[in-house]
Amino acid sequence: MTEKKTSRPFERPQAGGALYCGGVPLETLARRFGTPLYVYSADQIAERLAMFQRAFKGRDHLICYAVKANSALAILRLLARRGAGFDIVSGGELERVLAAAPEAAERVVFSGVGKTAAEIDAGLKAGILAFNVESEAELELLAERARRLKGRARFALRVNPDVFAETHPYISTGLREHKFGIDIRKARAIYKGAAKNRWLEAYGISVHIGSQIRSAEPFGAAIERVSKLARQLWSDGVAVKAIDAGGGLGIDYHGGEFDATAKVAEYAEALNLALGDFEGRLLIEPGRFLVAQAGALVTRVLDVKRSGKKTFVITDAAMNDLIRPALYQAHHEIVPVRPRRGKARLVDVVGPVCESGDFFARDRKLPPVEPGDLVALLDAGAYGMAQSSNYNSRLRAAEVLVEGKKARLIRRRETMADLLATEML
Ligand SMILES: *Cc1c(COP(=O)(O)O)cnc(C)c1O
């Protein structure tokens, strides 16, 4: 099997040699496209999607990639061509799906806690599969917009199952205290009410308990509660067709062996068990798991600066390119693209932004690096570029997609003209 190979797309074909993405040396890409540069392996993204497809082969299912993890058009197209649907959270993400793969509109679910009338209209006009509705007021708004456009809106209530999932507090969403979803105890009455509205069709029930969840157990616990609700709804005469289990399956950011196939199998088993005799369609919304490990942020060392006992490795990428370490205390492995001989030592890897929070790693043991060297921040394919900004008036990075031995630019680096384009004096 090639599983191990594809689950680590960034490799050194020769021990002690340079780092590659698939068949392409990162040094070549940095020379061609400059740094900081996001590099993604199309092969791994396709492989990860196939893992989910295989794991749920036995039942009617749809894998709705969570666009917010990485919304590059080329990645959306790649996934759409392989049968994926999409989970979107804004009108902008809908626009991206329509631009990359208009035929996939009917495989789109629309999540998010605050949808505007304009966003709902755009979704209705595009004929998306369903709206994941987060409050009673939003359900009323959806019915009102559907009435105006003279079409029925398919919806799922996003219920809050009150399940605790071990992850960073900023990306945990499944407890009653969180802003997300509708208290699962209130859902039944809302579905019953909606059944009287001719502009609404109760398509399913949805849930999303958080992100970067490593254990399958909380997913199982949430789906158990959701399938119980589905049975109750059926007995009420509300025949929901689908259960949407959300996204959130986590990866290993700390290097080492990571058996993605086994992870997906374990996840599928937990869901299948919890679904019991539910015979409708299963939707899942993985984001991170599909793209995180397929991507790296390649950056050049600008300076190595000693200050007291500390050594700072200053890179040309910064928190505006990859904010996860600053925002979630996230760990990313950092590896020299072409390793030098010599002793590893403790360094801080930081960007040039004027914030002490602008760091990629603190007290990290790193092999020797010198100004001009390239280093790669691994597992940066999800919530990297998608969360980038122009903070400090820095230009956003370029993105490259590698397929086998071929690399192509999928987003050019921003220019100074881009930076000023929307402003007036
Ligand atoms: C963010 C999000 C996802 C994707 O989460 P991952 O952890 O990237 O898999 C899926 N569904 C909803 C509703 C989300 O908000």
Side-chain angles (χ1 to χ4, degrees):
M1 276 298 283
T2 55
E3 221 73 275
K4 204 173 137 234
K5 222 174 161 182
T6 53
S7 61
R8 290 273 173 227
F10 296 91
E11 290 189 312
R12 300 182 194 285
Q14 290 170 325
L19 200 62
Y20 278 58
C21 176
V24 186
L26 295 183
E27 287 170 337
T28 308
L29 294 176
R31 236 184 346 259
R32 236 174 106 189
F33 302 110
T35 54
L37 182 70
Y38 274 99
V39 178
Y40 310 112
S41 159
D43 301 326
Q44 188 185 69
I45 296 170
E47 171 65 24
R48 287 283 165 101
L49 176 66
M51 278 179 198
F52 283 107
Q53 289 167 334
R54 276 197 300 270
F56 291 107
K57 208 169 49 192
R59 64 162 68 239
D60 181 13
H61 72 271
L62 180 63
I63 293 148
C64 294
Y65 167 63
V67 173
K68 76 176 188 284
N70 186 322
S71 55
L73 295 177
I75 290 176
L76 301 184
R77 177 166 291 177
L78 178 169
L79 288 164
R81 295 225 163 127
R82 286 167 175 76
F86 297 97
D87 169 50
I88 60 167
V89 292
S90 73
E93 289 189 352
L94 176 61
E95 198 65 24
R96 286 183 169 278
V97 172
L98 296 177
E103 76 284 359
E106 61 190 33
R107 303 197 297 266
V108 167
V109 294
F110 199 153
S111 301
V113 268
K115 302 175 191 75
T116 66
E119 287 176 319
I120 290 173
D121 287 358
L124 288 169
K125 285 178 190 155
I128 66 168
L129 178 60
F131 291 83
N132 289 338
V133 169
E134 300 233 5
S135 72
E136 288 187 75
E138 190 185 299
L139 191 61
E140 272 167 38
L141 179 63
L142 179 63
E144 167 60 17
R145 303 317 298 181
R147 184 184 64 77
R148 282 180 190 233
L149 294 175
K150 303 200 169 25
R152 274 185 108 196
R154 283 174 296 274
F155 76 94
L157 291 190
R158 172 172 175 181
V159 296
N160 188 321
D162 200 30
V163 162
F164 176 72
E166 178 84 52
T167 185
H168 191 277
Y170 288 5
I171 50 178
S172 177
T173 58
L175 283 179
R176 216 166 280 146
E177 70 200 52
H178 295 132
K179 70 178 176 184
F180 298 96
I182 293 171
D183 189 332
I184 193 163
R185 297 168 304 182
K186 291 192 184 146
R188 200 171 167 185
I190 300 173
Y191 277 104
K192 278 196 207 167
K196 296 184 200 111
N197 191 319
R198 57 185 285 226
W199 304 106
L200 295 175
E201 178 190 335
Y203 173 72
I205 310 170
S206 80
V207 69
H208 172 72
I209 55 174
S211 195
Q212 183 51 13
I213 298 165
R214 300 290 309 280
S215 145
E217 201 190 300
F219 295 109
I223 292 306
E224 235 167 69
R225 291 175 194 193
V226 169
S227 33
K228 185 175 156 208
L229 174 61
R231 283 193 297 276
Q232 290 170 339
L233 292 177
W234 272 75
S235 72
D236 294 341
V238 179
V240 289
K241 297 189 181 84
I243 286 179
D244 180 342
L249 188 60
I251 60 144
D252 182 3
Y253 281 98
H254 286 264
E257 287 305 309
F258 177 70
D259 188 344
T261 313
K263 260 286 155 218
V264 171
E266 186 193 329
Y267 171 75
E269 197 183 314
L271 293 193
N272 282 327
L273 193 70
L275 285 166
D277 58 3
F278 178 77
E279 282 186 350
R281 190 175 222 200
L282 172 69
L283 272 58
I284 58 166
E285 305 168 349
R288 186 191 314 270
F289 201 90
L290 288 176
V291 294
Q293 293 179 302
L297 174 59
V298 180
T299 174
R300 207 173 278 285
V301 174
L302 297 174
D303 194 5
V304 179
K305 183 162 124 179
R306 288 186 183 83
S307 172
K309 282 194 182 125
K310 297 281 269 189
T311 301
F312 295 98
V313 172
I314 303 166
T315 60
D316 69 358
M319 66 188 290
N320 73 296
D321 299 300
L322 178 65
I323 203 176
R324 298 189 67 261
L327 193 56
Y328 315 113
Q329 293 84 46
H331 176 97
H332 284 271
E333 287 292 311
I334 302 177
V335 292
V337 168
R338 185 174 288 279
R340 294 175 180 277
R341 286 174 192 285
K343 225 176 89 197
R345 56 165 189 248
L346 289 185
V347 299
D348 283 14
V349 181
V350 303
V353 160
C354 305
E355 296 255 358
S356 295
D358 181 23
F359 62 88
F360 292 128
R362 283 181 165 152
D363 294 323
R364 181 75 61 85
K365 205 163 191 182
L366 212 67
V369 290
E370 290 181 15
D373 287 4
L374 293 169
V375 298
L377 287 105
L378 301 183
D379 307 325
Y383 306 106
M385 189 62 182
Q387 291 190 9
S388 67
S389 75
N390 290 115
Y391 188 40
N392 275 213
S393 286
R394 289 166 52 86
L395 304 177
R396 256 177 294 196
E399 296 179 289
V400 164
L401 189 64
V402 175
E403 284 184 83
K405 285 185 157 49
K406 279 213 199 91
R408 72 189 166 95
L409 191 65
I410 58 168
R411 180 186 180 123
R412 66 162 171 80
R413 188 172 304 286
E414 281 181 346
T415 63
M416 290 300 175
D418 292 331
L419 192 66
L420 307 183
T422 53
E423 291 181 50
M424 48 225 72
L425 283 169

